Amino acid sequence: MTSVLDPYATAPAPGRFLTGLNPLAKLAAPLPVIVLLVFVRDLATPLAFIALSYLLLLVGAPLGRMVWLLLGVALPAAALVIGLGMSLWADPAGVEHTVPLLSIGSWTLYSGAIQIGLATGLRLAAIFALALIAGLTTTGPDLVRSTVQQLRVPYRIGYTALAAFRFVPRFGFELEVIRQAHRVRGSHGGRGPFAAIARWWGYIVPLLAGAIRHAERVALAMDARAFGAYADRTERYIVPWRIRDTVFVFAFWVASAGILIAFFPWVLP
């Protein structure tokens, strides 16, 4: 995506077209559908958008083993569990005209309740799958740069958020170093919840000290580079909006409109 190698950004996989798109295009394309899916009540529409999302991810995104497990196992299982759970909360008065499937005492589970629950689970799964189009193919630094360069978000806000975003992996590295040091010293050993609490309590002080030290260094570095002194700054990394970004957004909107018109999902069955 960026024209110069960014040492903090994950390198995009070659030949995967989604990684080459502007992050804002991957957010703008599914955003209207994500909003409209809140009001959908049928089963076919969320299934169609799940299929569309999977097709885009399989063709255009780099998929590792964890992503395959997420798409192939975790997401369908979550949709099924949520759907069955939500079917227990459906109002029996609204579905008592449908076929009764299970009766326990005075409580009856109707087929209409199952349909409503599964529709809710599929809606949530479709929204999550659509969000993965940008989530799996966009780096945080590129997203911040595109908001500054295309949406004209003030760079003081954007690049401060970028600096905070880069604290996360650094804190993870420092936490691992502290844990290794504690294991070498043999401090806070043992098993059980109290030993775990003692270990984590021992991590807090050195981790906070490292965080404060790193924050001071970042603040001094930003001050030395005259951060905030002028209204605009030159950009070292450019994240352009190309014609292919516009084509992707409009193609996605056309496909989404076709699905919504075909199923017209705002009428209860």
Side-chain angles (χ1 to χ4, degrees):
M1 171 63 66
T2 52
S3 57
V4 182
L5 180 63
D6 183 352
Y8 294 96
T10 304
R16 298 294 185 175
F17 79 92
L18 283 177
T19 57
L21 296 176
N22 189 291
L24 295 180
K26 290 176 282 187
L27 289 176
L31 184 59
V33 179
I34 290 175
V35 175
L36 291 175
L37 277 173
V38 176
F39 306 99
V40 166
R41 293 294 180 268
D42 67 338
L43 298 174
T45 304
L47 279 174
F49 281 110
I50 290 174
L52 177 62
S53 304
Y54 273 44
L55 177 63
L56 286 174
L57 290 172
L58 293 176
V59 173
L63 302 179
R65 185 174 60 180
M66 296 303 294
V67 178
W68 278 108
L69 289 175
L70 172 66
L71 297 178
V73 179
L75 189 58
L80 181 62
V81 170
I82 293 174
L84 294 178
M86 294 300 294
S87 66
L88 303 178
W89 290 88
D91 184 10
V95 294
E96 59 185 3
H97 61 283
T98 59
V99 178
L101 299 177
L102 177 65
S103 294
I104 302 176
S106 60
W107 178 80
T108 303
L109 178 63
Y110 296 93
S111 61
I114 296 288
Q115 184 176 353
I116 292 174
L118 290 178
T120 304
L122 288 175
R123 277 204 307 277
L124 295 175
I127 291 172
F128 187 75
L130 289 168
L132 288 179
I133 294 173
L136 292 179
T137 59
T138 302
T139 63
D142 276 346
L143 177 60
V144 171
R145 292 183 185 114
S146 60
T147 58
V148 172
Q149 294 171 21
Q150 273 86 47
L151 296 183
R152 303 304 178 190
V153 172
Y155 77 87
R156 295 179 181 86
I157 298 175
Y159 292 144
T160 302
L162 179 58
F165 175 80
R166 287 176 172 171
F167 273 39
V168 177
R170 185 180 183 87
F171 286 168
F173 173 75
E174 290 188 355
L175 177 61
E176 184 57 31
V177 171
I178 293 169
R179 294 175 65 180
Q180 291 177 358
H182 280 221
R183 282 198 293 268
V184 169
R185 293 168 56 190
S187 59
H188 304 304
R191 297 176 179 273
F194 294 104
I197 293 173
R199 279 195 300 272
W200 279 100
W201 185 257
Y203 301 155
I204 291 175
V205 173
L207 190 61
L208 285 176
I212 294 171
R213 185 166 56 247
H214 180 63
E216 289 178 344
R217 290 174 180 169
V218 172
L220 289 173
M222 295 170 76
D223 191 41
R225 290 166 174 78
F227 184 82
Y230 298 96
D232 298 311
R233 290 183 67 89
T234 55
E235 299 287 346
R236 183 179 181 187
Y237 303 103
I238 303 299
V239 185
W241 180 284
R242 302 183 178 92
I243 295 177
R244 63 192 183 194
D245 301 310
T246 305
V247 171
F248 173 76
V249 172
F250 278 99
F252 195 95
W253 285 353
V254 169
S256 302
I259 292 173
L260 293 173
I261 292 173
F263 294 109
F264 199 70
W266 293 282
V267 178
L268 286 173

